[in-house]
Amino acid sequence: MGFKEAFTRQGDGENLLFDDDAFIYFAISILTLVILPLVYSVIKPLFTTYVFGENRRKFARVPQSSNDQQNLQLAKQELRLKWLTTGYVVKIIILVALLLLLNASIQSLPKADKIKGFDPYEILEIDPSATEQEIRKAYRKISLKLHPDKNPDDPQANQKFILLTKAYECLTDEDKKSLCMKYGNPDGQQSLSVGIAMPSFLLKKENRAAFLAVIFLLLLVVVPIIVLYELRSIGKYDQNGIMLSNQEKFERGLEENLLIKKGVELSSCSDELCRIRLKTEQQAIDLEKLVNELKEEAELRKIQKFEITEALEQSKKQKKKKRVTISIAMILIYAHLFGKPIPNSVKSLYRSTIKIIPKLVNSMVRLAFEFSMKYKVMQWRQRGRFQTKFMGARCINNILQFSQCIVQGIYETDNPINQIDFFATKAKDYIKKGKMPIFQELVQKQIDQRVLPNWVPEEFKEQIMNEINMFPQLDIKHEVTVDDESIVEQCNEDIFSIKITLTRLNTPEGEDIPFAHSNRFTYVKEEGWHVLITYQNEVFYYAQLNGANRVQTTEFKFQPKMYFGDVVEFEFILFVISDCYRGLDAEIPIKFKAKKANQISRAVEYHKEDQELDKSLPFIQSMLFPMQNKVEDSDSEDEDQSKKDDE
């Protein structure tokens, strides 16, 4: 049924019209509105991965070593598959189904001749030159065919017959013929009516139950499930992509004198890592061998209260010889820190475990800083007693020391020089009575001033020098200023600004800094620098600087009187701590003085515009005074006139 059936309305005021053609247009419009955003959500991951975006620029950097090259290739491979999730596949399936439905709707669009309007000659199937006798003959023939009594199964038979009758009246009645010529409708000018673009198959009783079932399923089942699924992901993760449910665990575990093994414990009990499960028997066998190797290594290193050893002893007491009650993530983390070879069966678990720890560390640091700033002393109830703990600069520093060990794959007691491959793997074969060089001195010196020990073979020196240059040679500058440059004498009520600038000297200007160099880490990582400004061990400012820029800056603004009262001599400590490298952290004192406000005299200088504004009247007075001036002027004029009259 086409648009022309709108003229078949009966006189009972029925406005509910079922129009197949209008429904097709309506369906095409709705499908287009749904398909366009769905196409965008499907194409966006592909464009951000392969065409443009931060990841493309990020992975365009040149790797520095073979391990960095391998990590970069694995990262690119993961990025290609990152967007190919179950949800993404479901989106593609839905998009294909909607596109097929849209194509079917377009194919079923009515032809142009169905939309052209009310044509009585077409309805009666006669030529415009037909005589009155031919019109009556055609009408009788078609009316016998379309009469509702002869088509009881056709729900549109009544409307078709009414349309036929109107066409006949339009050609036989001169008044209706003139109305049809003038308005395109034998009933004359019509008021606007509202119909529903619904398919005609809904008129059939057997289809109504199925239609209501589909509507019920969509509105009461499908839509609520989608909404609940989206709501679950909102507020579930922090800015580092770590689950917020870890916050309570971190609050209880973080402390001022945090040890590396405490960092291992907090990481392995996080919701991301505590759910790791073994899938094959071979993984269980290889992991049990790895546990025994870690136990022996801990004895050689003389580590007291080693968690894995304690867990083994506890499992023996419980007579569970086949099952080792140790966190899988903890085993893999310690194997990484001790430099143990990882079995092939658990390499994927190992890589995913080590990859996520820097993100966990960033969440711990952010949480420790928030408690240090907002509360200073954190309180919580445990075992019926109130306990307090202070989290200052040392806590954040220790957390980042753990991150350094993870990225470089060394334990906290290892020499930082082991970050260089030769000294970690080959030096023990050549060193006898010599000493290991100091890592920080080698990195911070200029290339022509670097000197390796005499016991290092000549064949390895060039390789070592090249690897040393992969570590950042950082220049740290700070500047204390006041916002108002015209101030000569500073007081504690002024707004002070401490600006910190980090420059990576061994990166040429105009080039992006490379990824963090490591011989043991399992993923590409940005070089991250954490800036802390402390006063008497209390953290007053924290910023994390990372990215590809050679020069990075951060600024801390404060008013001394607001923070420190009447203190006039200040001695801050600036900490610049790496989350990637051991031994390259910096601790710099920042000292300055500021007099009290009553100890200095400042000439108050007003700007010319301010002086003019002071002389001008306020808005209300400017509105009142003109009226008063007019009254005074009129009074003076009256007095002058009275004087003239008296004269």
Side-chain angles (χ1 to χ4, degrees):
M1 185 172 68
F3 290 132
K4 58 189 178 182
E5 282 81 350
F7 302 109
T8 63
R9 293 179 301 153
Q10 301 182 41
D12 56 358
E14 184 182 14
N15 290 323
L16 186 61
L17 304 178
F18 290 83
D19 194 330
D20 288 339
D21 298 342
F23 173 74
I24 292 174
Y25 284 101
F26 176 75
I28 290 175
S29 303
I30 296 299
L31 287 173
T32 304
L33 292 176
V34 174
I35 287 174
L36 287 179
L38 192 59
V39 169
Y40 174 77
S41 65
V42 169
I43 294 178
K44 182 181 177 182
L46 301 178
F47 270 77
T48 54
T49 302
Y50 300 107
V51 181
F52 60 86
E54 182 63 26
N55 288 326
R56 187 172 181 271
R57 176 175 177 263
K58 177 179 177 181
F59 291 136
R61 305 181 207 174
V62 179
Q64 302 183 96
S65 65
S66 58
N67 185 64
D68 298 337
Q69 174 71 33
Q70 182 181 359
N71 289 339
L72 183 61
Q73 293 300 327
L74 292 173
K76 288 181 178 179
Q77 190 176 16
E78 278 191 8
L79 184 64
R80 295 189 189 102
L81 301 177
K82 186 178 181 180
W83 49 268
L84 194 59
T85 59
T86 304
Y88 189 83
V89 174
V90 171
K91 282 184 181 179
I92 293 178
I93 294 174
I94 295 174
L95 179 60
V96 171
L98 292 177
L99 288 174
L100 293 175
L101 186 59
L102 179 63
N103 181 63
S105 301
I106 294 174
Q107 294 296 328
S108 60
L109 279 174
K111 298 180 180 179
D113 57 353
K114 290 191 68 179
I115 311 175
K116 63 184 180 182
F118 182 76
D119 187 356
Y121 297 101
E122 181 183 357
I123 296 172
L124 292 171
E125 299 177 0
I126 57 176
D127 294 332
S129 60
T131 63
E132 186 175 350
Q133 185 178 0
E134 291 175 344
I135 292 172
R136 289 196 185 97
K137 184 178 179 181
Y139 171 69
R140 284 195 294 269
K141 179 181 177 181
I142 299 176
S143 63
L144 293 174
K145 182 180 178 182
L146 298 180
H147 198 279
D149 294 339
K150 293 187 177 182
N151 299 278
D153 297 332
D154 188 358
Q156 299 180 8
N158 190 29
Q159 295 178 354
K160 292 178 181 179
F161 188 78
I162 293 173
L163 183 67
L164 179 67
T165 303
K166 286 182 179 293
Y168 174 72
E169 292 175 350
C170 180
L171 297 180
T172 56
D173 191 330
E174 293 296 330
D175 294 335
K176 291 188 177 182
K177 187 174 184 179
S178 62
L179 290 174
C180 186
M181 295 293 292
K182 185 176 182 179
Y183 299 106
N185 182 2
D187 295 332
Q189 188 174 5
Q190 301 292 307
S191 60
L192 179 65
S193 62
V194 179
I196 300 178
M198 298 295 288
S200 58
F201 73 83
L202 294 180
L203 291 172
K204 297 181 180 180
K205 293 182 179 180
E206 59 269 20
N207 295 333
R208 294 176 184 174
F211 178 75
L212 291 176
V214 171
I215 296 298
F216 176 83
L217 183 66
L218 289 175
L219 296 180
L220 300 181
V221 179
V222 177
V223 173
I225 289 176
I226 294 174
V227 172
L228 290 175
Y229 178 79
E230 294 295 331
L231 288 176
R232 284 184 60 189
S233 61
I234 297 176
K236 189 176 180 180
Y237 301 93
D238 63 7
Q239 60 185 2
N240 298 306
I242 300 301
M243 298 177 68
L244 291 173
S245 54
N246 293 317
Q247 184 169 333
E248 184 178 355
K249 300 176 184 178
F250 294 162
E251 288 176 6
R252 294 179 177 273
L254 292 175
E255 55 189 18
E256 184 70 359
N257 298 315
L258 186 76
L259 300 177
I260 292 295
K261 63 179 183 180
K262 191 66 176 180
V264 176
E265 180 184 344
L266 287 175
S267 300
S268 59
C269 73
S270 65
D271 289 343
E272 285 81 2
L273 297 182
C274 68
R275 300 174 183 176
I276 296 178
R277 297 291 182 269
L278 300 179
K279 297 180 179 179
T280 63
E281 187 66 27
Q282 185 62 41
Q283 288 180 332
I285 295 172
D286 291 340
L287 211 61
E288 191 169 354
K289 293 179 181 178
L290 192 58
V291 167
N292 294 327
E293 293 178 9
L294 294 177
K295 180 183 176 182
E296 295 175 359
E297 184 68 22
E299 292 175 356
L300 292 175
R301 293 174 177 264
K302 299 180 180 180
I303 300 176
Q304 298 180 354
K305 296 182 179 180
F306 187 53
E307 291 91 337
I308 294 179
T309 304
E310 292 179 350
L312 286 172
E313 293 176 355
Q314 185 179 1
S315 64
K316 289 180 180 179
K317 292 180 181 179
Q318 296 175 353
K319 298 181 180 180
K320 293 182 179 180
K321 298 182 180 179
K322 295 184 179 180
R323 183 181 177 186
V324 180
T325 57
I326 309 173
S327 166
I328 298 173
M330 183 180 291
I331 297 172
L332 297 175
I333 293 172
Y334 272 117
H336 176 74
L337 294 175
F338 290 166
K340 294 296 180 181
I342 306 299
N344 292 328
S345 61
V346 294
K347 268 192 175 180
S348 60
L349 295 177
Y350 160 74
R351 189 167 182 271
S352 60
T353 298
I354 303 304
K355 169 188 170 183
I356 200 173
I357 291 180
K359 295 182 179 180
L360 293 171
V361 167
N362 287 337
S363 295
M364 294 181 201
V365 171
R366 178 64 62 178
L367 184 63
F369 171 68
E370 289 176 358
F371 276 95
S372 177
M373 281 296 295
K374 294 180 181 179
Y375 304 101
K376 302 299 182 185
V377 177
M378 184 178 72
Q379 295 184 344
W380 81 99
R381 189 172 183 83
Q382 184 180 17
R383 297 180 182 178
R385 298 179 180 178
F386 283 103
Q387 296 188 4
T388 61
K389 66 165 80 170
F390 173 75
M391 287 197 284
R394 185 181 298 175
C395 176
I396 297 177
N397 184 31
N398 291 344
I399 298 171
L400 293 173
Q401 296 287 335
F402 169 62
S403 176
Q404 296 170 3
C405 292
I406 288 294
V407 174
Q408 295 301 324
I410 58 178
Y411 197 62
E412 60 178 328
T413 56
D414 292 341
N415 192 331
I417 199 67
N418 288 346
Q419 295 172 99
I420 300 175
D421 183 62
F422 171 81
F423 295 103
T425 58
K426 302 182 178 70
K428 59 183 179 181
D429 298 331
Y430 298 96
I431 187 172
K432 295 180 180 178
K433 296 182 179 181
K435 294 182 180 180
M436 286 286 193
I438 300 176
F439 176 73
Q440 187 175 10
E441 291 182 357
L442 283 177
V443 173
Q444 295 301 331
K445 286 182 178 180
Q446 298 295 329
I447 296 178
D448 54 352
Q449 296 177 353
R450 293 171 182 166
V451 179
L452 294 174
N454 295 327
W455 55 267
V456 176
E458 290 292 333
E459 59 196 61
F460 294 106
K461 286 187 176 181
E462 183 179 358
Q463 175 187 347
I464 295 172
M465 288 297 185
N466 291 335
E467 187 172 0
I468 291 174
N469 201 44
M470 297 177 187
F471 294 93
Q473 191 175 19
L474 203 65
D475 177 55
I476 305 172
K477 293 182 179 179
H478 66 274
E479 182 182 9
V480 181
T481 58
V482 180
D483 280 2
D484 191 349
E485 298 179 355
S486 63
I487 295 176
V488 179
E489 289 185 306
Q490 302 168 350
C491 74
N492 59 357
E493 293 184 1
D494 294 329
I495 303 299
F496 282 77
S497 175
I498 302 178
K499 184 178 181 181
I500 298 98
T501 303
L502 308 183
T503 306
R504 201 181 195 274
L505 299 177
N506 54 341
T507 297
E509 293 186 9
E511 293 186 8
D512 291 342
I513 65 173
F515 291 112
H517 169 65
S518 173
N519 294 307
R520 292 275 298 164
F521 197 58
T522 61
Y523 199 73
V524 291
K525 186 185 181 310
E526 298 273 6
E527 285 186 3
W529 297 93
H530 298 254
V531 178
L532 304 176
I533 297 178
T534 66
Y535 182 80
Q536 296 180 354
N537 200 32
E538 292 185 5
V539 181
F540 281 91
Y541 180 73
Y542 165 76
Q544 182 181 359
L545 302 178
N546 52 20
N549 296 328
R550 177 178 178 267
V551 180
Q552 301 184 36
T553 61
T554 183
E555 191 171 8
F556 172 44
K557 293 187 176 183
F558 65 101
Q559 185 187 52
K561 188 173 183 179
M562 181 184 298
Y563 284 93
F564 313 107
D566 293 332
V567 178
V568 295
E569 294 186 4
F570 302 95
E571 185 173 353
F572 292 95
I573 302 296
L574 170 63
F575 292 93
V576 179
I577 307 172
S578 171
D579 59 5
C580 304
Y581 307 110
R582 297 278 288 171
L584 299 183
D585 304 335
E587 182 177 339
I588 304 170
I590 302 177
K591 299 179 181 180
F592 64 93
K593 295 181 180 181
K595 295 182 179 180
K596 295 182 181 180
N598 56 9
Q599 293 178 345
I600 62 174
S601 58
R602 291 179 180 172
V604 180
E605 297 181 0
Y606 293 98
H607 196 272
K608 291 182 179 180
E609 294 181 359
D610 294 335
Q611 292 177 357
E612 293 176 359
L613 288 174
D614 288 341
K615 293 178 181 179
S616 62
L617 294 175
F619 176 74
I620 297 177
Q621 294 183 8
S622 65
M623 295 295 291
L624 293 176
F625 281 150
M627 297 179 64
Q628 184 176 355
N629 293 334
K630 289 180 181 180
V631 173
E632 292 177 353
D633 293 341
S634 62
D635 292 342
S636 61
E637 290 177 359
D638 292 340
E639 290 178 359
D640 294 340
Q641 186 66 31
S642 62
K643 288 180 180 180
K644 289 180 181 180
D645 294 340
D646 293 340
E647 292 177 356

